[in-house]
Amino acid sequence: MTLNVKRPFARLFLMSLLLASVVSSSSGYVAHAAVTVPDTIRVAFFMNGSTFKSITPVATLQSAGGLNIYWRDPQVNLPVTTIPAGQGVRFGMDGYRALIVETADFNSALAVLKKVQVSSNAAFVTQLSKAGQIVYQVTEGAYSSAAGAASALTKWTNAGVASGVKSLQSARVAGPWGVEAGPYSSEAEAKSAADQLGGAGLDAFVALKPQNGVLSYILRIGQEKDGSTLASLQQAAAAAGALNVRVPESNEPYASIRNDMTYNGSKNIAVPMYVIPVSAGAVLRADPAGEGGIQLVERSKRIYRGSMEVSVYNQSLAVVNDVDFEQYLYSVVGGEVSASWPLEAQKAQAVAARSYALFAGVGYQIANVVDTTLSQAYNGISSENPNSTAGVTQTAGEVLTSGGKIINAVFSANSGGITADNKIEIWGGDNSYLSAGVASPDEGPQNGKLDWYYVALPLGDVGYIRSDLVVDSGQDHISGSNYLKVTGEGTAVRSRPQIVSTVEPIARLGAGALVVELGKVPEYTDYSWIEAPMTSEQLLTALNKRAKTPIAGPLLTLEVSKTGPSGRVTEVKANGIAVNVGVGDNLRGALNGLKSTLFSVEETGRYTVLNGDGTTREIPAQSGGLQAVDSDGQVRAIQDQNLYVMDGNGKLRAGTTTPKFIFSGKGFGHGLGMSQWGARGLAEQGYDYQYILQYYYKNVTIEKDA
């Protein structure tokens, strides 16, 4: 009687605890504390950095509402000009260039340009006024040294890209050395003075320079490769009527304005190109003059909110987007998760992305983050959608903290059903706030997807056919396996269980064709995947790019030798020897770009055979030919690439006569922290974003900017 009384009470008490847990975790508390979330964030698109290197010789900006251009440096912030709506403006670096040809014929200059552009993205046509006529200089490069430009000039000359074109001067190395004249009272006056000097055969460009807190118009005269000719150039410029000609110091800031003919091509319309010196530290900023963002042509013509800053960093052009932090997240969250996902998943992603972006501070020298997955994918306004924006807005200023500090809230697309252990499996760090080994409802990508059959074809090849394209034939293969019958003409057999329009099927079968069923697998998704068979040569090349000790070929065997707590692979052995590629997550790249390290490997060329004398032989470790006894009792050598064997369980198995490797796995990404598909799964179960975050990140607080 006592037990009968206590059991219901114990169950009721336990149920009360569970309900309290669910209620409290799904209506979490956001603390208002001393964390500071900045108003803006700096995103680098192009920069020659130590951990991020993305180089461009030019940046082209435009905006539907026009642009306001400013000069910015530690001392001043001065207006430069306004670029009309829909018109472009370009920015470059005043470095060393190969001046290939100077001609008065625009079409000839354009023809040379097109030849150079075949193998260079740093080719330009610049318009000048010289000797009473308009001329066009075709240059290539933005080199950091005169030697680099000289080598390029030799290449273009030997290639004959300007052959047949009448040049007004010899091909030469052009550089950033020159003399300065001015200041002039207006841009028009400076332009008139440049034309006057051009009449004397000098290369003269209008330029901007801060002087005594104001921005002055000056001239930069000459494009010299060194300082040896500056004295004579100074005399020639003064003799031609230039005002206050002087030889400037190399660290004096300026921005030359060139008439660039490259961007509009055959239209023969000049676009202003502001050229910044390597050493002077000048920064030019573009702000939208009206509605709409700024298009950065060299970043796939995407349009971004905020301002664009252009400078020279480490002798290369740098382009940085200074943007409202929350608006930056509109794009990041919109690019990271689908617009159709539940709002609570959007909110969880917003808080994680905000925390992740702030963790590193100024992580990239002159920027906080970059626009690639080295930080977070940031593709501008095109990635925004109302649902992601709502997720950001409704969590504005909220971040994840541990011990009062913002955490590195890493996340991945799909953890394959279980989160990773960082210390043992991924990067080796002891991130105590990452929930390792947590079950994650990541199956979402499989919803609505059909299974695929792994089949053997009549001629011996193997591949995958989608399950709705075959039916049971009612017949059995001699091995006991089932025959499937193809139902339609031209049915595709694919190298992995997925339709990829850019990859040709390995075969097409007609209606009624019979194939042998070898197995049944889910469709290839971010949750469950099988890669097409990789050859020994492919894997050896990939492994040796990462292996600290190169693997001597050929690659005969590859096996999983160690796994971590979540089942992720932490070590593989090649030819029986452990391969050292550094941290565990490096295995993804080392194995030819696997989606995750939660995988197994099938060695199709590895098996044990029973010799005619009763001994066994390990293939491929032990060499020698293979022979089989036909159904008529005849012995024949196996010459085909594919073969089929009965395994120890009596099942038919597809093999190969040379080593090949099939990888089967789950998940997409490193698997640490929040799984995005798991967040969706939890949201669909009714959990809110605070529960989701505290499910994937342990011992954390959600704090809001004070």
Side-chain angles (χ1 to χ4, degrees):
M1 293 292 292
T2 304
L3 291 175
N4 289 336
V5 171
K6 286 185 176 180
R7 281 178 178 169
F9 176 80
R11 289 173 181 164
L12 178 61
F13 180 68
L14 179 60
M15 183 60 70
S16 299
L17 286 177
L18 288 172
L19 286 173
S21 175
V22 170
V23 169
S24 64
S25 61
S26 62
S27 56
Y29 173 70
V30 178
H32 291 261
V35 297
T36 300
V37 176
D39 294 332
T40 61
I41 190 169
R42 293 175 60 80
V43 188
F45 297 112
F46 297 103
M47 187 179 71
N48 186 13
S50 57
T51 56
F52 174 73
K53 188 170 185 177
S54 180
I55 305 298
T56 183
V58 65
T60 309
L61 307 179
Q62 63 182 37
S63 178
L67 293 168
N68 290 322
I69 309 299
Y70 296 86
W71 177 292
R72 187 183 70 79
D73 63 30
Q75 285 74 42
V76 296
N77 187 32
L78 303 169
V80 173
T81 190
T82 296
I83 304 299
Q87 294 188 23
V89 59
R90 312 193 86 193
F91 301 88
M93 182 181 74
D94 198 0
Y96 296 91
R97 306 171 305 286
L99 202 166
I100 300 168
V101 70
E102 180 181 292
T103 176
D105 184 353
F106 173 70
N107 289 327
S108 294
L110 193 63
V112 175
L113 174 75
K114 290 180 178 178
K115 291 178 183 178
V116 177
Q117 284 179 327
V118 171
S119 56
S120 174
N121 69 342
F124 301 95
V125 175
T126 303
Q127 181 193 77
L128 296 89
S129 175
K130 291 181 71 174
Q133 63 180 337
I134 299 297
V135 301
Y136 305 93
Q137 292 181 346
V138 182
T139 61
E140 188 278 329
Y143 297 96
S144 58
S145 69
S151 177
L153 184 62
T154 299
K155 179 181 73 172
W156 300 120
T157 301
N158 291 342
V161 294
S163 59
V165 178
K166 181 181 179 181
S167 184
L168 301 177
Q169 63 167 283
S170 299
R172 64 185 177 89
V173 171
W177 295 79
V179 298
E180 177 185 299
Y184 296 90
S185 61
S186 66
E187 182 177 10
E189 184 182 358
K191 177 66 171 61
S192 177
D195 290 343
Q196 180 181 341
L197 293 177
L202 300 177
D203 293 349
F205 301 93
V206 176
L208 297 166
K209 186 175 186 179
Q211 294 178 318
N212 301 318
V214 298
L215 209 55
S216 300
Y217 287 101
I218 61 168
L219 294 184
R220 290 285 299 190
I221 306 161
Q223 302 181 82
E224 309 303 304
K225 65 180 181 180
D226 55 43
S228 62
T229 59
L230 295 187
S232 59
L233 182 61
Q234 182 181 15
Q235 292 177 357
L243 179 66
N244 302 326
V245 185
R246 58 185 289 270
V247 177
E249 298 294 330
S250 61
N251 62 349
E252 293 183 27
Y254 65 88
S256 293
I257 308 172
R258 297 179 184 164
N259 290 324
D260 178 76
M261 310 301 293
T262 316
Y263 182 56
N264 284 320
S266 59
K267 295 179 182 178
N268 199 1
I269 300 173
V271 171
M273 182 170 174
Y274 291 83
V275 181
I276 305 169
V278 171
S279 58
V283 177
L284 293 175
R285 190 181 85 238
D287 291 343
E291 295 296 322
I294 300 176
Q295 182 185 70
L296 177 55
V297 173
E298 287 73 21
R299 224 39 164 188
S300 302
K301 296 185 178 181
R302 296 185 183 119
I303 299 174
Y304 299 90
R305 297 177 183 272
S307 302
M308 292 290 178
E309 290 188 356
V310 184
S311 61
V312 175
Y313 183 78
N314 283 345
Q315 297 189 324
S316 294
L317 200 67
V319 183
V320 174
N321 183 200
D322 191 357
V323 60
D324 179 273
F325 189 23
E326 300 298 311
Q327 292 180 350
Y328 159 77
L329 292 172
Y330 294 168
S331 175
V332 168
V333 176
E336 288 285 353
V337 296
S338 171
S340 64
W341 285 17
L343 178 59
E344 295 305 309
Q346 308 278 352
K347 291 158 75 173
Q349 181 64 58
V351 177
R354 188 180 292 111
S355 306
Y356 182 80
L358 291 178
F359 172 77
V362 185
Y364 291 89
Q365 293 86 45
I366 58 173
N368 304 99
V369 295
V370 297
D371 68 322
T372 72
T373 52
L374 280 175
S375 296
Q376 300 177 103
Y378 171 56
N379 295 324
I381 293 174
S382 63
S383 291
E384 298 177 11
N385 64 76
N387 207 18
S388 67
T389 298
V392 174
T393 302
Q394 293 184 28
T395 61
E398 293 182 19
V399 293
L400 293 167
T401 65
S402 178
K405 296 181 179 179
I406 297 173
I407 70 167
N408 185 17
V410 294
F411 50 85
S412 64
N414 190 302
S415 65
I418 185 169
T419 59
D421 184 301
N422 190 27
K423 186 174 183 179
I424 298 173
E425 297 175 321
I426 306 302
W427 300 319
D430 185 18
N431 288 31
S432 58
Y433 46 77
L434 298 175
S435 295
V438 169
S440 183
D442 293 318
E443 305 87 352
Q446 299 298 145
N447 293 341
K449 299 289 194 303
L450 295 170
D451 288 336
W452 290 61
Y453 286 106
Y454 185 43
V455 299
L457 307 187
L459 295 179
D461 290 333
V462 292
Y464 298 89
I465 298 180
R466 205 172 62 196
S467 59
D468 61 331
L469 303 176
V470 291
V471 295
D472 189 343
S473 70
Q475 305 176 53
D476 289 336
H477 184 257
I478 190 172
S479 66
S481 298
N482 187 34
Y483 268 123
L484 300 171
K485 183 170 68 174
V486 175
T487 57
E489 289 295 332
T491 295
V493 183
R494 301 189 180 271
S495 59
R496 69 185 190 189
Q498 181 190 33
I499 297 174
V500 181
S501 60
T502 56
V503 177
E504 278 297 307
I506 61 175
R508 290 190 181 274
L509 302 178
L514 297 179
V515 294
V516 180
E517 179 186 345
L518 300 174
K520 197 174 187 180
V521 299
E523 182 164 317
Y524 185 109
T525 66
D526 286 351
Y527 176 67
S528 178
W529 46 268
I530 297 175
E531 295 295 351
M534 299 185 198
T535 67
S536 170
E537 294 76 16
Q538 286 174 320
L539 278 176
L540 184 65
T541 299
L543 280 166
N544 278 340
K545 287 180 180 178
R546 294 289 187 101
K548 297 184 183 300
T549 301
I551 303 159
L555 181 64
L556 300 179
T557 64
L558 184 75
E559 58 191 319
V560 172
S561 48
K562 288 183 182 179
T563 58
S566 74
R568 285 170 168 80
V569 178
T570 58
E571 181 189 87
V572 295
K573 286 185 176 179
N575 296 338
I577 301 172
V579 182
N580 182 3
V581 296
V583 298
D585 195 52
N586 287 349
L587 281 170
R588 286 196 286 158
L591 294 171
N592 215 28
L594 296 183
K595 294 173 79 71
S596 82
T597 54
L598 191 59
F599 68 83
S600 62
V601 57
E602 179 186 353
E603 303 172 273
T604 62
R606 188 175 184 180
Y607 34 81
T608 303
V609 298
L610 183 65
N611 292 323
D613 60 3
T615 60
T616 59
R617 186 154 46 107
E618 298 293 331
I619 305 296
Q622 294 171 274
S623 60
L626 292 175
Q627 295 178 319
V629 179
D630 285 340
S631 57
D632 59 3
Q634 297 295 313
V635 177
R636 70 176 179 88
I638 298 175
Q639 304 290 345
D640 297 334
Q641 169 66 37
N642 297 301
L643 56 82
Y644 299 90
V645 296
M646 301 296 291
D647 65 17
N649 298 317
K651 296 192 66 175
L652 187 65
R653 176 192 164 199
T656 53
T657 54
T658 59
K660 286 191 176 183
F661 308 90
I662 299 175
F663 293 88
S664 304
K666 286 190 172 182
F668 185 17
H670 49 67
L672 290 174
M674 186 178 72
S675 167
Q676 292 169 322
W677 276 98
R680 170 183 166 164
L682 290 172
E684 289 174 339
Q685 294 175 33
Y687 293 103
D688 68 12
Y689 77 100
Q690 296 168 34
Y691 175 88
I692 294 169
L693 291 168
Q694 291 173 333
Y695 185 82
Y696 287 108
Y697 307 99
K698 61 182 180 181
N699 303 321
V700 297
T701 302
I702 303 173
E703 296 191 25
K704 189 176 180 68
D705 180 15

